[in-house]
Amino acid sequence: EVQLVESGGGLVQAGGSLRLSCVFSGFTFDDYAIGWFRQAPGKEREGVACIATGDGSAAYTDSVKGRFTISNDNAKNAVYLQMNSLKPEDTAVYYCAGVNSIYTIAAMLPTSVYDYWGRGTQVTVSS
């Protein structure tokens, strides 16, 4: 059974930084993709960034490019989301999700592709 657990959320002032962690287990293949999503109150869940653990290729949604960086540590079964220059509009619950059998990615993967989800971690950015 695949499990994903997020951590690292919290309250930060605008302009500050946070690093989210997603620790996972149970993938049955060597290559898979991990994505970060967020959902603000009253809004739909949106993809933020994703990474393919096979070749390290990554993609970002436009609103976070240049501010957020996704990375992975295969030895620790972890994916991180470094968030810099945070804005109040980044406030949301952040989720990580996983899907098997993906070696490389060229663009953001749609939400429907992911089979496994964590429970989320709250990020609040104050103005």
Side-chain angles (χ1 to χ4, degrees):
E1 180 184 2
V2 175
Q3 293 185 328
L4 304 100
V5 179
E6 305 94 336
S7 62
L11 173 64
V12 64
Q13 288 188 333
S17 298
L18 282 175
R19 188 176 85 150
L20 305 184
S21 299
C22 173
V23 177
F24 48 86
S25 63
F27 283 100
T28 54
F29 298 94
D30 291 337
D31 302 322
Y32 39 87
I34 303 293
W36 282 100
F37 292 78
R38 64 187 180 187
Q39 188 166 19
K43 295 188 177 181
E44 292 187 357
R45 188 171 298 187
E46 66 166 341
V48 175
C50 57
I51 189 167
T53 61
D55 68 353
S57 52
Y60 300 86
T61 193
D62 286 346
S63 62
V64 308
K65 285 180 180 177
R67 300 190 297 124
F68 291 9
T69 302
I70 191 170
S71 61
N72 68 299
D73 185 336
N74 289 341
K76 295 183 178 180
N77 280 355
V79 166
Y80 307 101
L81 186 68
Q82 179 66 43
M83 306 187 296
N84 299 328
S85 302
L86 283 162
K87 304 175 181 179
E89 50 263 43
D90 294 318
T91 295
V93 178
Y94 283 70
Y95 301 87
C96 66
V99 55
N100 262 317
S101 303
I102 292 183
Y103 178 78
T104 189
I105 56 176
M108 289 289 291
L109 300 176
T111 305
S112 59
V113 163
Y114 294 89
D115 297 315
Y116 312 103
W117 292 83
R119 294 188 175 184
T121 185
Q122 176 71 47
V123 171
T124 303
V125 184
S126 63
S127 57

